[in-house]
């Protein structure tokens, strides 16, 4: 069975049915562990109601360091990969200039040739400000296209990419802020006519707004300590569609990330840090529709392309309204809103600033995607070069798409090039 046939049972609502079966079904795979196709009861209490968006590859942890710490990074110590987690950290990074390259084979239990590559650059302008830029490239591997009758239309290799740039500046001795811009290009159909509908690449523009605060604290006798917290609202941008015939478009994954970090310098050689990240998608929650008692299908509103809502709010709203509505629109009320928070825990140990061991955990409610996993990793720094590795261990390993996920990252600290030559 080809890959699209395997994943084409998802409920599609925004453009031509055959068009969505071809490429938005692929998007749904990338969301990792969206394991159910319709509303259903879980333990007789909670209703499955997963929030899905376009271009979910923007939410994948791109670097091995954060990937080995349970996907935390909003307040961890700055590095060249801070763009994804909190670009405001660039203002207080130690290096004057760094380049990083990260690579991850993605969902290899499902797809043998899906990959994510990430190129990052950061440069300090002066003591108070820095700039950064990244390029994220995601390939979905070979996809077999078919028409509405199932006739083979050829095999193609869809891909997506995003280009970012940011300016970060210290606002006070302890607080820094950043704004970032992002161009998103998603070419999932390569211009093919799918299911009788013409298609085109999806294009969107987005922005991030972030703050980062850190300060040395005297909380433990004889131990130098630093406390930090960060907030990042990312991917605030226009909706994205893949067909000129489509009136409705999909939200991109606007996301709120916040959390603290405590760093302890135990002695001259040993350091350890503990971090927590909390995430919430600032995207409307799908409502639960009224269904016909005989057919089980949603009941249409006469003279409209919409359906009657049983619980929740209409999710066909503007981007700004969607951000605001995301805090109170869940069909299950406040309890369901709380279930939409995912939580990450991470720890990082450094010996002599040369060798690092890392670990972490990630939790997402079963009704909102059910991603639950542990992570492990290590890092090495030597003069100019840094090398990081991470490995993901899902809690439920039975046919889990995330099983055996690896990430590799290479960092090149240009600030140390001259020092290494001396």
């Amino acid at each position: 069975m080809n890959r699209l046939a395997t994943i084409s049972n998802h409920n599609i609502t925004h453009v031509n049915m055959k068009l969505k079966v071809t490429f938005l079904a692929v998007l749904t795979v990338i969301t990792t562990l969206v394991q159910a196709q319709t509303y259903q009861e879980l333990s007789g209490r909670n209703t499955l109601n997963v929030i899905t968006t376009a271009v979910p590859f923007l939410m994948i942890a791109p670097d091995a360091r954060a990937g080995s710490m349970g996907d935390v990074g909003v307040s961890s110590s700055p590095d060249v990969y801070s763009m994804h987690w909190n670009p405001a950290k660039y203002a207080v990074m130690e290096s004057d200039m760094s380049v990083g390259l990260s690579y991850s084979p993605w969902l290899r239990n499902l797809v043998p040739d899906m990959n994510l590559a990430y190129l990052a650059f950061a440069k300090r302008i002066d003591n108070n400000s820095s700039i950064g830029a990244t390029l994220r490239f995601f390939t979905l591997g070979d996809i077999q296209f078919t028409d509405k009758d199932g006739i083979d239309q050829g095999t193609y290799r869809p891909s997506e990419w995003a280009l970012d740039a940011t300016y970060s500046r210290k606002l006070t001795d302890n607080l820094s802020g950043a704004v970032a811009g992002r161009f998103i290009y998603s070419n999932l159909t390569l211009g093919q006519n799918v299911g009788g509908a013409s298609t085109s690449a999806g294009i969107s523009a987005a922005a991030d707004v972030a703050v980062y605060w850190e300060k040395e604290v005297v909380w433990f006798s004889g131990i130098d300590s630093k406390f930090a917290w960060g907030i990042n609202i990312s991917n605030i941008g226009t909706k994205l569609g893949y067909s000129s015939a489509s009136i409705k478009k999909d939200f991109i994954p606007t996301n709120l990330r916040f959390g603290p970090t405590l760093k302890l310098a135990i002695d001259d050689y040993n350091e350890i840090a503990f971090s927590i990240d909390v995430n919430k998608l600032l995207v409307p929650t799908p409502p639960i529709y009224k269904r016909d008692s005989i057919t089980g299908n949603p009941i249409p509103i006469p003279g409209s392309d919409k359906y009657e809502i049983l619980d929740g709010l209409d999710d066909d709203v503007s981007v700004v309204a969607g951000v605001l509505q995301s805090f109170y629109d869940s069909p299950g009320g406040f309890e369901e809103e709380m279930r939409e928070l995912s939580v990450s825990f991470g720890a990082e140990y450094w010996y002599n600033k040369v060798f690092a061991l890392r670990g972490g955990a990630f939790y997402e409610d079963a009704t909102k995607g059910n991603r639950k996993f542990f992570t492990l990793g290590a890092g090495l720094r030597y003069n100019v070069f840094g090398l990081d590795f991470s490995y993901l261990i899902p809690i439920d390993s039975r046919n889990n798409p995330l099983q055996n996920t690896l990430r590799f990252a290479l960092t090149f600290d240009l600030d140390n090039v001259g020092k290494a030559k001396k």
Side-chain angles (χ1 to χ4, degrees):
M1 181 179 294
N2 65 56
R3 189 182 312 163
L4 288 179
T6 303
I7 61 177
S8 63
N9 292 324
H10 293 272
N11 186 28
I12 309 301
T13 59
H14 291 307
V15 292
N16 180 278
M17 176 67 75
K18 291 294 183 179
L19 175 63
K20 284 280 185 165
V21 168
T22 303
F23 60 83
L24 282 188
V26 177
L27 281 176
T28 308
V29 168
I30 308 169
T31 59
T32 67
L33 291 175
V34 176
Q35 295 178 342
Q37 290 75 35
T38 57
Y39 296 112
Q40 64 184 36
E41 292 299 316
L42 295 180
S43 303
R45 180 177 62 89
N46 298 328
T47 301
L48 188 74
N49 196 8
V50 178
I51 300 174
T52 59
T53 69
V55 290
F57 81 103
L58 293 176
M59 295 298 292
I60 300 174
D63 63 298
R65 181 192 174 208
S68 64
M69 298 168 63
D71 290 4
V72 301
V74 73
S75 60
S76 58
S77 58
D79 62 15
V80 71
Y81 301 106
S82 293
M83 175 74 81
H84 177 79
W85 307 102
N86 185 344
K89 297 194 297 182
Y90 282 134
V92 293
M93 67 179 186
E94 295 182 358
S95 173
D96 279 346
M97 185 162 58
S98 294
V99 175
L101 177 62
S102 179
Y103 172 79
S104 177
W106 192 244
L107 299 184
R108 285 303 174 89
N109 274 15
L110 286 180
V111 182
D113 50 2
M114 189 181 292
N115 306 294
L116 173 68
Y118 194 68
L119 178 64
F121 169 81
K123 175 71 172 69
R124 178 176 293 283
I125 299 175
D126 53 39
N127 291 333
N128 294 315
S129 58
S130 300
I131 58 174
T134 66
L135 175 63
R136 178 193 302 252
F137 181 80
F138 189 78
T139 175
L140 285 80
D142 293 329
I143 302 291
Q144 180 183 353
F145 285 74
T146 61
D147 63 14
K148 62 181 180 180
D149 298 316
I151 299 175
D152 185 12
Q153 299 296 301
T155 299
Y156 301 89
R157 184 176 285 263
S159 62
E160 305 174 289
W161 56 269
L163 180 65
D164 316 313
T166 186
Y167 174 75
S168 176
R169 183 175 180 83
K170 292 184 68 174
L171 305 176
T172 69
D173 290 341
N174 305 113
L175 181 68
S176 60
V179 292
R182 178 167 299 109
F183 177 80
I184 304 161
Y185 184 86
S186 178
N187 194 4
L188 298 183
T189 61
L190 290 85
Q192 298 300 305
N193 188 302
V194 182
S198 61
T199 67
S200 60
I203 296 176
S204 179
D208 299 355
V209 179
V211 293
Y212 175 72
W213 184 93
E214 66 172 11
K215 185 178 181 179
E216 293 184 358
V217 294
V218 186
W219 292 353
F220 306 94
S221 177
I223 298 178
D224 294 333
S225 307
K226 182 180 290 186
F227 179 75
W229 57 262
I231 302 173
N232 182 24
I233 303 177
S234 60
N235 301 318
I236 310 167
T238 58
K239 294 183 182 180
L240 186 146
Y242 297 91
S243 172
S244 58
S246 172
I247 299 176
K248 296 180 181 179
K249 296 184 178 182
D250 297 289
F251 286 93
I252 64 174
T254 305
N255 183 72
L256 169 65
R257 183 189 304 273
F258 61 91
T261 290
L262 177 62
K263 183 177 180 180
L264 306 174
I266 300 172
D267 54 37
D268 292 340
Y269 296 95
N270 299 279
E271 295 181 353
I272 190 167
F274 303 94
S275 301
I276 299 175
D277 275 18
V278 180
N279 285 274
K280 176 176 172 56
L281 279 173
L282 303 184
V283 176
T285 305
I288 296 178
Y289 296 100
K290 294 181 180 179
R291 295 184 177 273
D292 187 279
S293 59
I294 299 176
T295 65
N297 296 324
I299 301 174
I301 299 175
S304 170
D305 60 351
K306 298 184 179 182
Y307 299 92
E308 294 186 21
I309 294 175
L310 178 64
D311 288 306
L313 299 177
D314 184 5
D315 60 350
D316 183 18
V317 295
S318 68
V319 172
V320 175
V323 169
L324 298 176
Q325 181 175 308
S326 67
F327 289 99
Y328 60 84
D329 64 350
S330 296
F334 180 75
E335 181 183 357
E336 184 174 348
E337 291 289 353
M338 295 303 295
R339 294 201 303 269
E340 291 180 356
L341 300 177
S342 62
V343 184
S344 304
F345 305 88
E348 180 179 47
Y349 165 78
W350 278 98
Y351 176 75
N352 200 29
K353 299 184 183 297
V354 173
F355 178 72
L357 290 175
R358 305 181 181 109
F362 182 94
Y363 173 83
E364 183 178 63
D365 191 85
T367 64
K368 296 299 177 178
N370 200 30
R371 289 176 297 169
K372 300 180 180 70
F373 54 79
F374 297 108
T375 58
L376 297 172
L380 182 66
R381 298 290 183 271
Y382 182 75
N383 287 334
V384 174
F385 296 101
L387 182 64
D388 296 291
F389 162 83
S390 72
Y391 182 72
L392 188 150
I393 308 170
I395 292 178
D396 184 0
S397 61
R398 295 171 297 179
N399 299 319
N400 195 309
L402 289 175
Q403 191 171 2
N404 301 322
T405 297
L406 300 173
R407 292 184 179 92
F408 307 91
L410 178 65
T411 303
F412 190 63
D413 190 351
L414 301 180
D415 184 37
N416 287 329
V417 172
K419 299 176 183 178
K421 292 180 178 179
K422 294 179 180 179

